[in-house]
């Protein structure tokens, strides 16, 4: 879409199927004034990126959200500091003079996000967390029952921690919307009694049976409903 900044495009095939309930949840969050941060959390392989990419291109009102950013932390150069610099230059212009300190860049970005026509998608944010920050993270298996230490859920960049903490505490101030997909929830968005009041979270679960059956049929697989369910 004209004017949107999709830095790392997602290679989605034309066979995307289902997830209507989850898409409606995202659209409701986007259209309602309220929490600026939405976390879509799931184990690897559940389709977080595919769902978010399909929703962004097919469900988001481009007339209202005139500025949109897709940034994937799965890319080799996609550190949080690079995200900061790239996003600010997109929003403020290539010629803008940025402060050298990432913390000052965070303050600048948060100020810009007080506008209500900006949507940012941060895909694969677990790569910005210590638990998945190693070079072998792409091959790291999920363990649903694993107990992570607090430091594992901290961001590698202290500027990222500060950005998320202030973003998730700015309900009513930040009018822009930030959607994060991640395997793990960053610890910084948690308060004493749960999530900070500027943050929502949804766990993405397995496909519903009807969605799975429709997907099989879209792929041209010939079999009965009972065989698919089995």
């Amino acid at each position: 879409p004209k004017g949107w900044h999709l830095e790392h495009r997602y290679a989605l095939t034309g066979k995307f199927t289902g997830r209507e309930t989850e898409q409606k949840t995202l659209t409701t969050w986007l259209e309602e004034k309220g929490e600026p941060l939405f976390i879509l959390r799931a184990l690897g392989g559940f389709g977080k990126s595919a769902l978010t990419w399909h929703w962004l291109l097919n469900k988001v009102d481009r007339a209202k959200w005139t500025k949109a950013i897709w940034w994937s932390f799965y890319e080799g150069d996609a550190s949080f500091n690079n995200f900061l610099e790239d996003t600010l230059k997109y929003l403020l212009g290539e010629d803008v003079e940025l402060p050298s300190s990432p913390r000052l860049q965070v303050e600048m970005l948060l100020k810009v996000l007080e506008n209500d026509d900006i949507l940012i998608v941060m895909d694969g944010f677990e790569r910005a967390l210590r638990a998945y920050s190693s070079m072998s993270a792409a091959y790291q298996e999920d363990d649903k029952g694993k107990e992570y230490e607090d430091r594992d859920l901290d961001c590698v960049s202290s500027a990222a921690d500060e950005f998320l903490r202030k973003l998730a505490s700015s309900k009513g101030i930040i009018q822009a919307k930030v959607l994060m997909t991640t395997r793990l929830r960053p610890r910084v968005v948690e308060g004493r009694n749960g999530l900070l009041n500027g943050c929502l979270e949804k766990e993405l679960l397995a496909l519903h049976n009807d969605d799975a059956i429709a997907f099989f049929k879209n792929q041209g697989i010939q079999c009965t409903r009972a065989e698919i369910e089995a």
Side-chain angles (χ1 to χ4, degrees), residues 170-226:
S170 299
K171 186 176 181 179
I173 300 173
I174 299 292
Q175 302 302 316
K177 296 285 189 168
V178 179
L179 172 58
M180 172 197 296
T181 72
T182 183
R183 296 187 185 189
L184 298 173
R185 178 199 305 154
R187 185 167 67 100
V188 70
V189 302
E190 299 175 356
R192 292 182 178 179
N193 300 312
L195 296 175
L196 298 177
N197 68 354
C199 179
L200 290 176
E201 181 183 82
K202 179 176 179 60
E203 183 178 8
L204 190 65
L205 302 174
L207 282 172
H208 298 298
N209 275 4
D210 288 344
D211 286 348
I213 290 165
F215 178 74
F216 271 52
K217 290 182 177 178
N218 284 348
Q219 295 289 341
I221 298 172
Q222 302 297 319
C223 52
T224 67
R225 181 185 181 98

Side-chain angles (χ1 to χ4, degrees), residues 8 14 38 50 54 75 78-79 81 90 115 120 133 139 144 155 174 195 201:
H8 307 115
F38 190 104
H54 178 83
E75 300 299 324
S79 67
N81 287 358
Y90 161 67
N115 298 314
I120 297 176
S133 62
Y139 310 100
K144 192 173 179 61
C155 298
I174 299 292
L195 296 175
E201 181 183 82

Side-chain angles (χ1 to χ4, degrees), residues 29-45:
W29 160 75
L30 184 66
E31 294 178 349
E32 293 182 351
K33 291 189 175 181
E35 296 81 1
L37 176 62
F38 190 104
I39 297 175
L40 186 65
R41 180 174 55 82
L43 299 176

Side-chain angles (χ1 to χ4, degrees), residues 1 4 6 8-24 26-27 30 40 46-62 70 119 121 123 179 181 204 207 211 215 218:
W4 284 13
L6 310 182
H8 307 115
R9 293 173 178 270
Y10 183 77
L12 181 64
T13 69
K15 300 292 187 181
F16 185 88
T17 307
R19 295 294 194 192
E20 292 296 331
T21 300
E22 292 84 354
Q23 291 186 71
K24 287 178 181 178
L26 292 175
T27 300
L30 184 66
L40 186 65
F46 269 61
K48 302 182 293 296
S49 300
L51 164 61
T52 306
W53 181 259
H54 178 83
W55 171 80
L56 175 67
L57 295 186
N58 294 278
K59 304 295 184 180
V60 174
D61 183 354
R62 300 174 188 180
W70 173 280
L119 170 62
V121 179
D123 184 46
L179 172 58
T181 72
L204 190 65
L207 282 172
D211 286 348
F215 178 74
N218 284 348

